[in-house]
Amino acid sequence: MGSFDDLRVWREADFSGRMGWYRAVAANRLPAKFRLCAALPAGIALDAPEDDLWRALDAGTESMLALQARIRSDAAALPVQGVRPSLLDLCAELGRRMLAHCNFCRWDCRVDRTRGTKLGACKLASETRVSSYFHHGGEELVYRGTHGSGTIFFTSCNMRCAFCQNGDISTDRLNGEAVSARTLAAMAWILRREGCHNINWVGGDPTIHLHTILEAIALLPRFTPAENDIAAALPAKADWRMAFPAGRSCAEYAGAFNAPMLWNSNFFMSDEAMKLLRLTMDVWLPDFKFGPGRCAVELARTGWYWETVTANLRRLEEWGEDFTIRHLVMPGHVECCTAPVLDWIAGNMPEAPVNIMDQYHPDNYCETSNPKFMERFAVLARRPRREEILAAFRHAKQRGIRFEDLSYERNQTGLHL
Ligand code: SF4
């Protein structure tokens, strides 16, 4: 794993200062947050009323942050694991409780997904499906490194972007394989043991599968997959011929499984989901798509977009989390979406590294050759023009945004200022 630590990107100020926790966990010099949570007591019986569980989580968060600070400054070692129920068990239990009145995301549907008789905006009951998982070589260098980002693509989404670039996954809720928490843990275990630098939870969107993800992460501190776990995990592996070349040395800290958890999402999560993710995610990859006008409603049928995503981004900054932001330049949406998104970032988190992406292609309801094409999305049925991409870069430059390293590194058009 030495080569990950030697990436040239760590010599650049944008990343060396802001991504230190993630980098150290990826290189197994520090334990991931889920390992810290596994070492701390929940401080409550898990059959307690939900309000009491949330109060215990707030107290546990303070303990976890204090432990993280001590470990980070070398003032403490990771406590011996094995406390039950742990703060990590509490996170998984709260995920299960939330599922029964689902408020994982801002839709706040309050449906009981354990029964599945009434569905919310995501149209899901309790089942979690994985479309595929593999070593992703197309993510930003800080994530793909030398061995790839261990990416797990979940089926379905809580937004309805007409142009979705992953429409086959996000709009087909039966896509992929149904997975249990154990199968999901086995997928993460396989990817990390094969040398992936992180476990990249993505979709569709991962938020709508929060219960299964938290349950899987809660298994990982003591996890060794059995033969049947591996057998259940392999069918969805898109690069299955790579299975198991590397070994445990790239996947352990203090004798147990270790990997940075990466939340790669549309960021339409609820406040409660953010609290649970704060304890379990080591690095974040928010997608910031739409401006504050009507575009999120008209193109993605999503209300409260701007206020939800900006509130969640602001939290990351206040919490001192490691993150980079993505913004996809959409044709005809530079003034209404790209400019206000970049202005907001410049005004609220000017040091945040931003990837201004130029790879938009017409897809889903915006692609004229697709049977799903809708005339009202015709404005999005083309790639962005050269001038639109350059206008986005110029705007970012004028506002002092740190975007060059991420945006120019592998952009499809090859354009740069
Ligand atoms: S995940 Fe979001 S969209 Fe789905 S039921 Fe829960 S609150 Fe509604």
Side-chain angles (χ1 to χ4, degrees):
M1 297 290 282
S3 50
F4 175 80
D5 235 3
D6 295 337
L7 290 174
R8 62 171 168 73
V9 77
W10 301 125
R11 293 192 286 277
E12 289 157 11
D14 291 7
F15 304 106
S16 59
R18 293 186 62 96
M19 307 282 277
W21 175 262
Y22 159 64
R23 178 187 179 187
V25 176
N28 293 315
R29 288 195 304 279
L30 287 176
K33 284 186 189 172
F34 76 84
R35 294 284 308 278
L36 306 186
C37 291
L40 293 167
I44 193 168
L46 296 187
D47 58 359
E50 188 176 337
D51 285 350
D52 294 342
L53 295 182
W54 283 111
R55 274 189 283 278
L57 189 91
D58 288 341
T61 300
E62 295 304 315
S63 305
M64 196 288 271
L65 294 175
L67 177 60
Q68 184 186 20
R70 290 202 306 276
I71 285 186
R72 200 170 192 166
S73 65
D74 240 356
L78 183 67
V80 177
Q81 312 267 311
V83 54
R84 302 301 293 270
S86 67
L87 184 56
L88 190 59
D89 297 324
L90 177 57
C91 290
E93 176 61 23
L94 279 165
R96 282 189 285 271
R97 298 288 184 101
M98 287 170 77
L99 187 71
H101 53 77
C102 191
N103 58 334
F104 287 161
C105 77
R106 178 61 182 82
W107 285 116
D108 199 20
C109 301
R110 300 279 164 181
V111 293
D112 183 351
R113 289 177 51 189
T114 65
R115 292 174 184 271
T117 47
K118 202 170 167 210
L119 302 178
C122 63
K123 304 287 181 219
L124 294 184
S126 59
E127 183 180 77
T128 287
R129 298 183 79 86
V130 167
S131 176
S132 67
Y133 69 107
F134 54 92
H135 294 229
H136 201 323
E139 304 289 60
E140 291 86 343
L141 184 56
V142 280
Y143 304 122
R144 73 173 186 273
T146 53
H147 287 67
S149 175
T151 307
I152 302 178
F153 281 91
F154 292 93
T155 300
S156 294
C157 194
N158 51 352
M159 291 179 67
R160 295 284 179 271
C161 301
F163 53 86
C164 182
Q165 311 281 283
N166 280 332
D168 49 338
I169 301 172
S170 65
T171 62
D172 174 10
R173 67 191 172 93
L174 296 179
N175 181 291
E177 306 279 337
V179 294
S180 67
R182 271 198 82 84
T183 305
L184 204 49
M187 291 173 174
W189 186 92
I190 289 169
L191 289 167
R192 183 64 166 163
R193 289 282 289 241
E194 289 179 341
C196 287
H197 306 295
N198 46 68
I199 303 303
N200 183 344
W201 308 99
V202 70
D205 202 82
T207 306
I208 53 185
H209 302 288
L210 185 62
H211 56 301
T212 319
I213 293 171
L214 290 173
E215 213 172 321
I217 293 174
L219 292 171
L220 285 173
R222 294 168 297 278
F223 192 70
T224 305
E227 242 174 65
N228 59 332
D229 296 321
I230 300 286
L234 282 182
K237 193 161 194 293
D239 53 0
W240 62 271
R241 285 188 183 83
M242 293 186 70
F244 311 113
R248 61 193 302 167
S249 64
C250 60
E252 289 192 354
Y253 176 90
F257 184 83
N258 195 51
M261 299 290 144
L262 164 58
W263 194 250
N264 184 349
S265 158
N266 59 28
F267 255 54
F268 200 60
M269 294 90 74
S270 65
D271 298 350
E272 292 82 0
M274 284 296 288
K275 283 186 176 194
L276 297 171
L277 292 167
R278 184 184 192 186
L279 291 172
T280 47
M281 292 299 135
D282 299 284
V283 62
W284 310 69
L285 186 42
D287 197 6
F288 194 0
K289 278 191 244 288
F290 301 111
R294 296 276 306 157
C295 297
V297 171
E298 286 168 7
L299 303 184
R301 287 194 273 149
T302 302
W304 314 291
Y305 176 85
W306 178 264
E307 54 267 47
T308 305
V309 173
T310 54
N312 285 335
L313 283 170
R314 207 176 266 122
R315 282 190 181 104
L316 293 192
E317 184 74 353
E318 284 167 10
W319 292 345
E321 295 289 302
D322 292 7
F323 67 98
T324 64
I325 300 172
R326 282 179 177 167
H327 172 74
L328 179 68
V329 179
M330 298 177 290
H333 284 263
V334 173
E335 275 181 34
C336 52
C337 293
T338 298
V341 160
L342 296 176
D343 289 346
W344 188 89
I345 294 170
N348 291 277
M349 43 195 67
E351 302 296 319
V354 182
N355 184 2
I356 301 173
M357 300 189 296
D358 67 351
Q359 69 257 48
Y360 175 93
H361 62 274
D363 208 331
N364 218 24
Y365 298 97
C366 303
E367 187 196 7
T368 49
S369 62
N370 190 321
K372 292 195 285 185
F373 175 71
M374 290 184 186
E375 191 56 41
R376 65 193 168 98
F377 299 125
V379 69
L380 290 161
R382 63 168 174 86
R383 289 183 181 266
R385 296 191 184 97
R386 170 191 165 85
E387 199 39 53
E388 289 174 313
I389 300 294
L390 289 173
F393 290 162
R394 268 196 300 274
H395 196 93
K397 184 96 177 165
Q398 281 160 6
R399 299 307 308 259
I401 287 178
R402 296 170 176 250
F403 72 100
E404 287 99 334
D405 288 328
L406 287 178
S407 309
Y408 295 164
E409 188 230 335
R410 257 198 184 181
N411 57 350
Q412 281 193 1
T413 59
L415 292 170
H416 57 88
L417 297 179

